Amino acid sequence: MVGCSQSYAKNMGLYGQRIGCFSLTCDDVEQKNAVESQIKRIGRATYSNPPVHGAMIVNTVLGDDALKKQWYSEVKVMADRIISMRDALRSEVESTGSDMQWKHITEQIGMFCFTGLTPEQVDTLQGKSIYMTRNGRISMAGVTTKNVKRLAQAIHEVTA
């Protein structure tokens, strides 16, 4: 049996709306029936009646060709911005003269980047008003053309 859990909340900007799915492949109908009954039991106990307005919004957007095309276009703009900020961060950190390898910044994908910084280095950055999780994960959505140089310099200072 193989399972996959997907969340669509970020893609649609519907945080907290429980938009997503949980898919399983089963070997036969008997296994499917047994698994389905348990999944329904867990779902009922977890959230009973989830809100439907988020699902209705997704259905409206994806069910209308013009809205779907607009949504794809807007997602592409945001994805391209994240990619350009990854490129800029890597370029700026490398231009500080850092001896470290930074290619992982542009090899990763998505809204978040694991910088490779240690918890102690992250703590030092917090003193410079730069915030990320203690495992070094930073939101690339918060990196802009206005702050990328300052971020890169601060990263260089804590890694030098």
Side-chain angles (χ1 to χ4, degrees):
M1 180 178 338
V2 176
C4 178
S5 179
Q6 298 171 283
S7 171
Y8 303 117
K10 286 181 186 174
N11 293 347
M12 299 298 291
L14 297 169
Y15 298 93
Q17 298 303 315
R18 296 183 181 145
I19 305 299
C21 69
F22 181 62
S23 304
L24 286 169
T25 59
C26 297
D27 295 330
D28 53 46
V29 174
E30 183 179 345
Q31 186 182 44
K32 176 242 174 212
N33 290 336
V35 168
E36 183 178 32
S37 71
Q38 294 304 304
I39 295 297
K40 285 180 178 178
R41 188 173 141 277
I42 292 167
R44 276 189 217 103
T46 304
Y47 51 76
S48 187
N49 292 311
V52 297
H53 53 279
M56 291 171 70
I57 292 169
V58 171
N59 189 53
T60 298
V61 171
L62 297 183
D64 179 287
D65 287 339
L67 290 175
K68 186 176 182 178
K69 184 177 178 181
Q70 179 183 344
W71 177 69
Y72 279 138
S73 174
E74 291 172 0
V75 168
K76 173 92 170 92
V77 167
M78 291 306 300
D80 288 348
R81 192 190 85 72
I82 297 292
I83 291 167
S84 72
M85 288 298 94
R86 285 181 179 278
D87 290 340
L89 180 59
R90 177 180 175 184
S91 176
E92 291 293 339
V93 173
E94 289 175 345
S95 74
T96 64
S98 175
D99 293 332
M100 297 179 65
Q101 291 291 319
W102 296 101
K103 65 182 180 176
H104 60 279
I105 293 173
T106 53
E107 289 177 344
Q108 298 172 32
I109 61 170
M111 285 180 52
F112 298 96
C113 174
F114 282 97
T115 60
L117 300 178
T118 67
E120 295 75 24
Q121 291 166 332
V122 169
D123 292 343
T124 301
L125 288 176
Q126 285 182 3
K128 300 172 183 278
S129 298
I130 296 172
Y131 300 95
M132 63 186 74
T133 58
R134 287 199 82 233
N135 63 0
R137 186 181 83 147
I138 190 168
S139 170
M140 291 305 300
V143 180
T144 68
T145 55
K146 292 180 180 179
N147 66 20
V148 69
K149 286 183 189 246
R150 186 173 84 82
L151 173 61
Q153 184 60 42
I155 289 173
H156 174 63
E157 288 170 10
V158 299
T159 59

